[in-house]
Amino acid sequence: MKLLAGNSNRPLAEAIAAYLDVPLARCSVKRFADMEIFVELQENVRGEDVFIVQSTSFPANDHLMELLILIDACRRSSARRITAVIPYFGYARQDRRTAGRTPISAKLVSNLITESGADRVLTLDLHAGQIQGFFDIPTDNLFAAPVLARDIKERMPEGERMVVSPDVGGVVRARALSKRLETTLAIVDKRRDRPGESEVMNIIGEVRGRSCILIDDIVDSGGTLCNAAEALLANGANEVSAYITHGVLSGGAVSRIANSKLKELVITDSIQPTEAVKVARNIRVVSIAPLLGEAISRTATESSVSSLFD
């Protein structure tokens, strides 16, 4: 096995390497003066099972190009099999046409990864499950739910907790976590007037006296979470925490969450946390390195990956 890493999330790649007890392969990812990306593999990968760890997070286009060029470098160096490990799959929110004359960018990115020479893809909590079908190569979509559920059980009293979906579209994800925690489920019904803004309308379910856990796959501007927390507290909830897989946290999101009524926002390190995230009073990061490391190990040994979630 050879484990390679781009520049998008080096700490996560190093943590995965430590879990697997495999050193990161020596690789140089540089930029020329005009910002063209240049990759040089500094050790032999001929006949090897190569795993490339690279989230396509901000700046998404740069990190996507790094991934494509890394894959091409491995293919041209005669790697036996190339697996793109993409903890956060950018462009996933563009998974369908929302209006006339618009693209389906998630499909385009899937095609680029496939055509660059990847043999399979390993990713985490895709925004829409059907994106797995956009790839014409085997794709494993892992779930952060076991990691998040373990953290919730360790920190929150069993009788008080209640899982809440911040919108109707996330009910399936919230129900799965609710089943793991053996607790009840509520839903925030909201209306979004324009991108990046949301208006909470009402709460479906009885949240009075409960410790509410908002669950979602992506937090970007943070507006939905903050509005949902206010609505839940207004309806009698004791406290509100949020567990989100991918902490995009663009613009003023960190400041917005730090000044909100959320007790805590818990995100994974699928996207490398910024300094602002690290010092925020109510944002905490849990690692998904063991989950990804175990999935990589099972892929390398041709063992079952789905049994990770039984």
Side-chain angles (χ1 to χ4, degrees), residues 199-225:
E199 180 185 357
V200 173
M201 302 300 291
N202 53 64
I203 308 297
I204 303 170
E206 180 54 61
V207 300
R208 186 171 301 278
R210 309 299 292 271
S211 296
C212 292
I213 306 160
L214 287 162
I215 183 75
D216 210 347
D217 64 321
I218 296 173
V219 53
D220 191 346
S221 67
T224 295
L225 285 186

PDB file of all heavy atoms in Angstrom, residues 199-225:
ATOM      1  N   GLU A 199     -35.307  31.110   6.857  1.00  0.00           N
ATOM      2  CA  GLU A 199     -36.279  31.590   7.836  1.00  0.00           C
ATOM      3  C   GLU A 199     -36.966  30.381   8.456  1.00  0.00           C
ATOM      4  O   GLU A 199     -37.598  29.599   7.762  1.00  0.00           O
ATOM      5  CB  GLU A 199     -37.316  32.497   7.162  1.00  0.00           C
ATOM      6  CG  GLU A 199     -38.362  33.025   8.124  1.00  0.00           C
ATOM      7  CD  GLU A 199     -39.442  33.813   7.402  1.00  0.00           C
ATOM      8  OE1 GLU A 199     -39.339  33.981   6.179  1.00  0.00           O
ATOM      9  OE2 GLU A 199     -40.383  34.241   8.074  1.00  0.00           O
ATOM     10  N   VAL A 200     -36.829  30.214   9.755  1.00  0.00           N
ATOM     11  CA  VAL A 200     -37.445  29.085  10.436  1.00  0.00           C
ATOM     12  C   VAL A 200     -38.926  29.366  10.621  1.00  0.00           C
ATOM     13  O   VAL A 200     -39.315  30.453  11.069  1.00  0.00           O
ATOM     14  CB  VAL A 200     -36.766  28.853  11.800  1.00  0.00           C
ATOM     15  CG1 VAL A 200     -37.504  27.792  12.590  1.00  0.00           C
ATOM     16  CG2 VAL A 200     -35.311  28.453  11.601  1.00  0.00           C
ATOM     17  N   MET A 201     -39.747  28.413  10.289  1.00  0.00           N
ATOM     18  CA  MET A 201     -41.183  28.607  10.374  1.00  0.00           C
ATOM     19  C   MET A 201     -41.779  27.950  11.624  1.00  0.00           C
ATOM     20  O   MET A 201     -42.416  28.594  12.424  1.00  0.00           O
ATOM     21  CB  MET A 201     -41.848  28.048   9.115  1.00  0.00           C
ATOM     22  CG  MET A 201     -41.347  28.675   7.821  1.00  0.00           C
ATOM     23  SD  MET A 201     -41.619  30.455   7.763  1.00  0.00           S
ATOM     24  CE  MET A 201     -43.399  30.511   7.628  1.00  0.00           C
ATOM     25  N   ASN A 202     -41.555  26.647  11.806  1.00  0.00           N
ATOM     26  CA  ASN A 202     -42.096  25.982  12.994  1.00  0.00           C
ATOM     27  C   ASN A 202     -41.357  24.678  13.264  1.00  0.00           C
ATOM     28  O   ASN A 202     -40.575  24.215  12.432  1.00  0.00           O
ATOM     29  CB  ASN A 202     -43.604  25.710  12.841  1.00  0.00           C
ATOM     30  CG  ASN A 202     -43.916  24.960  11.562  1.00  0.00           C
ATOM     31  OD1 ASN A 202     -43.487  23.819  11.396  1.00  0.00           O
ATOM     32  ND2 ASN A 202     -44.649  25.585  10.648  1.00  0.00           N
ATOM     33  N   ILE A 203     -41.619  24.111  14.437  1.00  0.00           N
ATOM     34  CA  ILE A 203     -40.975  22.879  14.873  1.00  0.00           C
ATOM     35  C   ILE A 203     -41.993  21.747  14.846  1.00  0.00           C
ATOM     36  O   ILE A 203     -43.079  21.869  15.416  1.00  0.00           O
ATOM     37  CB  ILE A 203     -40.396  23.003  16.297  1.00  0.00           C
ATOM     38  CG1 ILE A 203     -39.504  24.241  16.414  1.00  0.00           C
ATOM     39  CG2 ILE A 203     -39.635  21.740  16.692  1.00  0.00           C
ATOM     40  CD1 ILE A 203     -38.282  24.223  15.543  1.00  0.00           C
ATOM     41  N   ILE A 204     -41.643  20.651  14.172  1.00  0.00           N
ATOM     42  CA  ILE A 204     -42.505  19.468  14.143  1.00  0.00           C
ATOM     43  C   ILE A 204     -41.974  18.489  15.184  1.00  0.00           C
ATOM     44  O   ILE A 204     -40.906  17.902  15.025  1.00  0.00           O
ATOM     45  CB  ILE A 204     -42.500  18.822  12.744  1.00  0.00           C
ATOM     46  CG1 ILE A 204     -42.937  19.842  11.687  1.00  0.00           C
ATOM     47  CG2 ILE A 204     -43.403  17.593  12.714  1.00  0.00           C
ATOM     48  CD1 ILE A 204     -42.746  19.370  10.259  1.00  0.00           C
ATOM     49  N   GLY A 205     -42.710  18.318  16.275  1.00  0.00           N
ATOM     50  CA  GLY A 205     -42.268  17.461  17.374  1.00  0.00           C
ATOM     51  C   GLY A 205     -42.201  18.250  18.678  1.00  0.00           C
ATOM     52  O   GLY A 205     -42.091  19.477  18.677  1.00  0.00           O
ATOM     53  N   GLU A 206     -42.267  17.553  19.804  1.00  0.00           N
ATOM     54  CA  GLU A 206     -42.252  18.187  21.121  1.00  0.00           C
ATOM     55  C   GLU A 206     -40.825  18.213  21.656  1.00  0.00           C
ATOM     56  O   GLU A 206     -40.242  17.172  21.970  1.00  0.00           O
ATOM     57  CB  GLU A 206     -43.165  17.420  22.093  1.00  0.00           C
ATOM     58  CG  GLU A 206     -43.216  18.007  23.490  1.00  0.00           C
ATOM     59  CD  GLU A 206     -43.579  19.482  23.492  1.00  0.00           C
ATOM     60  OE1 GLU A 206     -44.675  19.831  23.028  1.00  0.00           O
ATOM     61  OE2 GLU A 206     -42.724  20.278  23.958  1.00  0.00           O
ATOM     62  N   VAL A 207     -40.234  19.422  21.752  1.00  0.00           N
ATOM     63  CA  VAL A 207     -38.839  19.555  22.176  1.00  0.00           C
ATOM     64  C   VAL A 207     -38.710  20.142  23.578  1.00  0.00           C
ATOM     65  O   VAL A 207     -37.593  20.289  24.085  1.00  0.00           O
ATOM     66  CB  VAL A 207     -38.054  20.437  21.176  1.00  0.00           C
ATOM     67  CG1 VAL A 207     -38.067  19.817  19.794  1.00  0.00           C
ATOM     68  CG2 VAL A 207     -38.611  21.862  21.138  1.00  0.00           C
ATOM     69  N   ARG A 208     -39.812  20.437  24.228  1.00  0.00           N
ATOM     70  CA  ARG A 208     -39.752  21.081  25.549  1.00  0.00           C
ATOM     71  C   ARG A 208     -39.007  20.198  26.554  1.00  0.00           C
ATOM     72  O   ARG A 208     -39.293  19.006  26.683  1.00  0.00           O
ATOM     73  CB  ARG A 208     -41.164  21.383  26.051  1.00  0.00           C
ATOM     74  CG  ARG A 208     -41.204  22.187  27.356  1.00  0.00           C
ATOM     75  CD  ARG A 208     -42.625  22.640  27.661  1.00  0.00           C
ATOM     76  NE  ARG A 208     -43.152  23.476  26.579  1.00  0.00           N
ATOM     77  CZ  ARG A 208     -42.886  24.782  26.463  1.00  0.00           C
ATOM     78  NH1 ARG A 208     -42.094  25.380  27.347  1.00  0.00           N
ATOM     79  NH2 ARG A 208     -43.399  25.463  25.461  1.00  0.00           N
ATOM     80  N   GLY A 209     -38.034  20.788  27.236  1.00  0.00           N
ATOM     81  CA  GLY A 209     -37.297  20.079  28.268  1.00  0.00           C
ATOM     82  C   GLY A 209     -36.243  19.116  27.748  1.00  0.00           C
ATOM     83  O   GLY A 209     -35.662  18.349  28.527  1.00  0.00           O
ATOM     84  N   ARG A 210     -35.955  19.159  26.454  1.00  0.00           N
ATOM     85  CA  ARG A 210     -35.008  18.217  25.875  1.00  0.00           C
ATOM     86  C   ARG A 210     -33.691  18.910  25.504  1.00  0.00           C
ATOM     87  O   ARG A 210     -33.648  20.107  25.246  1.00  0.00           O
ATOM     88  CB  ARG A 210     -35.595  17.561  24.609  1.00  0.00           C
ATOM     89  CG  ARG A 210     -36.973  16.969  24.782  1.00  0.00           C
ATOM     90  CD  ARG A 210     -37.007  15.866  25.838  1.00  0.00           C
ATOM     91  NE  ARG A 210     -36.272  14.687  25.424  1.00  0.00           N
ATOM     92  CZ  ARG A 210     -36.811  13.680  24.730  1.00  0.00           C
ATOM     93  NH1 ARG A 210     -38.083  13.735  24.363  1.00  0.00           N
ATOM     94  NH2 ARG A 210     -36.084  12.631  24.402  1.00  0.00           N
ATOM     95  N   SER A 211     -32.626  18.108  25.453  1.00  0.00           N
ATOM     96  CA  SER A 211     -31.331  18.558  24.929  1.00  0.00           C
ATOM     97  C   SER A 211     -31.311  18.198  23.450  1.00  0.00           C
ATOM     98  O   SER A 211     -31.186  17.018  23.098  1.00  0.00           O
ATOM     99  CB  SER A 211     -30.179  17.874  25.673  1.00  0.00           C
ATOM    100  OG  SER A 211     -30.172  18.242  27.033  1.00  0.00           O
ATOM    101  N   CYS A 212     -31.460  19.185  22.596  1.00  0.00           N
ATOM    102  CA  CYS A 212     -31.640  18.944  21.165  1.00  0.00           C
ATOM    103  C   CYS A 212     -30.291  18.847  20.442  1.00  0.00           C
ATOM    104  O   CYS A 212     -29.367  19.616  20.722  1.00  0.00           O
ATOM    105  CB  CYS A 212     -32.478  20.053  20.540  1.00  0.00           C
ATOM    106  SG  CYS A 212     -34.193  20.038  21.111  1.00  0.00           S
ATOM    107  N   ILE A 213     -30.219  17.916  19.501  1.00  0.00           N
ATOM    108  CA  ILE A 213     -29.006  17.688  18.712  1.00  0.00           C
ATOM    109  C   ILE A 213     -29.360  17.884  17.245  1.00  0.00           C
ATOM    110  O   ILE A 213     -30.021  17.040  16.640  1.00  0.00           O
ATOM    111  CB  ILE A 213     -28.466  16.262  18.924  1.00  0.00           C
ATOM    112  CG1 ILE A 213     -28.260  15.967  20.409  1.00  0.00           C
ATOM    113  CG2 ILE A 213     -27.174  16.054  18.147  1.00  0.00           C
ATOM    114  CD1 ILE A 213     -28.206  14.488  20.722  1.00  0.00           C
ATOM    115  N   LEU A 214     -28.929  19.002  16.666  1.00  0.00           N
ATOM    116  CA  LEU A 214     -29.124  19.237  15.235  1.00  0.00           C
ATOM    117  C   LEU A 214     -28.097  18.424  14.465  1.00  0.00           C
ATOM    118  O   LEU A 214     -26.912  18.448  14.791  1.00  0.00           O
ATOM    119  CB  LEU A 214     -28.961  20.727  14.928  1.00  0.00           C
ATOM    120  CG  LEU A 214     -30.096  21.647  15.389  1.00  0.00           C
ATOM    121  CD1 LEU A 214     -29.623  23.091  15.432  1.00  0.00           C
ATOM    122  CD2 LEU A 214     -31.310  21.513  14.484  1.00  0.00           C
ATOM    123  N   ILE A 215     -28.531  17.704  13.452  1.00  0.00           N
ATOM    124  CA  ILE A 215     -27.626  16.843  12.679  1.00  0.00           C
ATOM    125  C   ILE A 215     -27.748  17.196  11.202  1.00  0.00           C
ATOM    126  O   ILE A 215     -28.850  17.362  10.680  1.00  0.00           O
ATOM    127  CB  ILE A 215     -27.949  15.342  12.923  1.00  0.00           C
ATOM    128  CG1 ILE A 215     -26.969  14.449  12.175  1.00  0.00           C
ATOM    129  CG2 ILE A 215     -29.390  15.022  12.554  1.00  0.00           C
ATOM    130  CD1 ILE A 215     -25.621  14.371  12.793  1.00  0.00           C
ATOM    131  N   ASP A 216     -26.595  17.363  10.539  1.00  0.00           N
ATOM    132  CA  ASP A 216     -26.606  17.669   9.106  1.00  0.00           C
ATOM    133  C   ASP A 216     -25.258  17.263   8.523  1.00  0.00           C
ATOM    134  O   ASP A 216     -24.333  16.910   9.254  1.00  0.00           O
ATOM    135  CB  ASP A 216     -26.868  19.155   8.874  1.00  0.00           C
ATOM    136  CG  ASP A 216     -27.596  19.427   7.554  1.00  0.00           C
ATOM    137  OD1 ASP A 216     -27.672  18.495   6.722  1.00  0.00           O
ATOM    138  OD2 ASP A 216     -28.069  20.561   7.353  1.00  0.00           O
ATOM    139  N   ASP A 217     -25.146  17.317   7.180  1.00  0.00           N
ATOM    140  CA  ASP A 217     -23.887  16.923   6.549  1.00  0.00           C
ATOM    141  C   ASP A 217     -22.939  18.093   6.343  1.00  0.00           C
ATOM    142  O   ASP A 217     -21.725  17.936   6.403  1.00  0.00           O
ATOM    143  CB  ASP A 217     -24.160  16.208   5.211  1.00  0.00           C
ATOM    144  CG  ASP A 217     -24.831  17.124   4.198  1.00  0.00           C
ATOM    145  OD1 ASP A 217     -25.698  17.914   4.617  1.00  0.00           O
ATOM    146  OD2 ASP A 217     -24.526  17.039   2.995  1.00  0.00           O
ATOM    147  N   ILE A 218     -23.483  19.296   6.088  1.00  0.00           N
ATOM    148  CA  ILE A 218     -22.645  20.457   5.789  1.00  0.00           C
ATOM    149  C   ILE A 218     -23.127  21.678   6.569  1.00  0.00           C
ATOM    150  O   ILE A 218     -24.331  21.941   6.626  1.00  0.00           O
ATOM    151  CB  ILE A 218     -22.670  20.787   4.279  1.00  0.00           C
ATOM    152  CG1 ILE A 218     -22.070  19.643   3.456  1.00  0.00           C
ATOM    153  CG2 ILE A 218     -21.906  22.081   3.977  1.00  0.00           C
ATOM    154  CD1 ILE A 218     -22.203  19.828   1.951  1.00  0.00           C
ATOM    155  N   VAL A 219     -22.194  22.416   7.158  1.00  0.00           N
ATOM    156  CA  VAL A 219     -22.497  23.747   7.688  1.00  0.00           C
ATOM    157  C   VAL A 219     -21.647  24.733   6.903  1.00  0.00           C
ATOM    158  O   VAL A 219     -20.426  24.647   6.889  1.00  0.00           O
ATOM    159  CB  VAL A 219     -22.239  23.851   9.213  1.00  0.00           C
ATOM    160  CG1 VAL A 219     -20.833  23.407   9.593  1.00  0.00           C
ATOM    161  CG2 VAL A 219     -22.492  25.280   9.698  1.00  0.00           C
ATOM    162  N   ASP A 220     -22.307  25.665   6.227  1.00  0.00           N
ATOM    163  CA  ASP A 220     -21.598  26.625   5.380  1.00  0.00           C
ATOM    164  C   ASP A 220     -21.669  28.010   6.009  1.00  0.00           C
ATOM    165  O   ASP A 220     -20.782  28.422   6.741  1.00  0.00           O
ATOM    166  CB  ASP A 220     -22.208  26.608   3.983  1.00  0.00           C
ATOM    167  CG  ASP A 220     -21.368  27.370   2.968  1.00  0.00           C
ATOM    168  OD1 ASP A 220     -20.472  28.124   3.393  1.00  0.00           O
ATOM    169  OD2 ASP A 220     -21.598  27.226   1.757  1.00  0.00           O
ATOM    170  N   SER A 221     -22.737  28.746   5.777  1.00  0.00           N
ATOM    171  CA  SER A 221     -22.854  30.083   6.361  1.00  0.00           C
ATOM    172  C   SER A 221     -23.229  30.030   7.842  1.00  0.00           C
ATOM    173  O   SER A 221     -22.964  30.973   8.585  1.00  0.00           O
ATOM    174  CB  SER A 221     -23.899  30.895   5.599  1.00  0.00           C
ATOM    175  OG  SER A 221     -25.193  30.340   5.796  1.00  0.00           O
ATOM    176  N   GLY A 222     -23.856  28.940   8.261  1.00  0.00           N
ATOM    177  CA  GLY A 222     -24.271  28.788   9.658  1.00  0.00           C
ATOM    178  C   GLY A 222     -25.619  29.400   9.974  1.00  0.00           C
ATOM    179  O   GLY A 222     -26.126  29.251  11.081  1.00  0.00           O
ATOM    180  N   GLY A 223     -26.221  30.084   9.002  1.00  0.00           N
ATOM    181  CA  GLY A 223     -27.502  30.746   9.256  1.00  0.00           C
ATOM    182  C   GLY A 223     -28.613  29.791   9.641  1.00  0.00           C
ATOM    183  O   GLY A 223     -29.384  30.053  10.572  1.00  0.00           O
ATOM    184  N   THR A 224     -28.699  28.663   8.945  1.00  0.00           N
ATOM    185  CA  THR A 224     -29.747  27.679   9.231  1.00  0.00           C
ATOM    186  C   THR A 224     -29.615  27.152  10.656  1.00  0.00           C
ATOM    187  O   THR A 224     -30.607  27.058  11.391  1.00  0.00           O
ATOM    188  CB  THR A 224     -29.667  26.511   8.228  1.00  0.00           C
ATOM    189  OG1 THR A 224     -29.964  27.000   6.924  1.00  0.00           O
ATOM    190  CG2 THR A 224     -30.663  25.419   8.589  1.00  0.00           C
ATOM    191  N   LEU A 225     -28.400  26.812  11.072  1.00  0.00           N
ATOM    192  CA  LEU A 225     -28.194  26.271  12.416  1.00  0.00           C
ATOM    193  C   LEU A 225     -28.562  27.285  13.493  1.00  0.00           C
ATOM    194  O   LEU A 225     -29.227  26.950  14.480  1.00  0.00           O
ATOM    195  CB  LEU A 225     -26.734  25.839  12.601  1.00  0.00           C
ATOM    196  CG  LEU A 225     -26.274  24.558  11.927  1.00  0.00           C
ATOM    197  CD1 LEU A 225     -24.849  24.233  12.347  1.00  0.00           C
ATOM    198  CD2 LEU A 225     -27.188  23.394  12.274  1.00  0.00           C
TER     199      LEU A 225
END
